[in-house]
Amino acid sequence: SESLSVSELAAPLDMPLPAAMKHLAVLSDAGLVKRHKSGRIVSCALDATPMQQANEWLERYRRFWSANFDRLAAHLERLP
């Protein structure tokens, strides 16, 4: 994926550079952003793999709860 410098990423944001750097650090800690330093320039690139893994985990539970709620609704409809 494309890498951009921290300054390039922060430019369109309505926040100071240090605040943008803190946000990028959180994303980096979560494994969503890969950082690379070349001299004084820190570049960042998106890595969506952890988000895809989280989405897969959530989807499994969505299917589980959806099926259980469907069974509950069917049971409640049979009650007098």
Side-chain angles (χ1 to χ4, degrees):
S1 69
E2 181 183 1
S3 289
L4 295 173
S5 72
V6 172
S7 297
E8 290 171 314
L9 290 168
L13 304 175
D14 187 24
M15 68 175 69
L17 184 60
M21 291 173 67
K22 285 183 181 181
H23 285 281
L24 289 168
V26 170
L27 293 172
S28 179
D29 290 346
L32 294 170
V33 168
K34 302 294 181 203
R35 294 191 288 184
H36 172 73
K37 188 170 184 176
S38 178
R40 293 180 49 181
I41 298 175
V42 177
S43 296
C44 299
L46 175 66
D47 181 3
T49 303
M51 191 61 73
Q52 292 166 340
Q53 293 167 341
N55 188 53
E56 290 168 7
W57 182 85
L58 289 168
E59 182 59 25
R60 280 195 304 271
Y61 280 95
R62 186 200 61 77
R63 287 191 305 267
F64 170 81
W65 284 109
S66 181
N68 281 308
F69 285 137
D70 289 346
R71 284 195 296 275
L72 176 61
H75 174 73
L76 292 174
E77 288 173 0
R78 288 191 298 270
L79 293 177

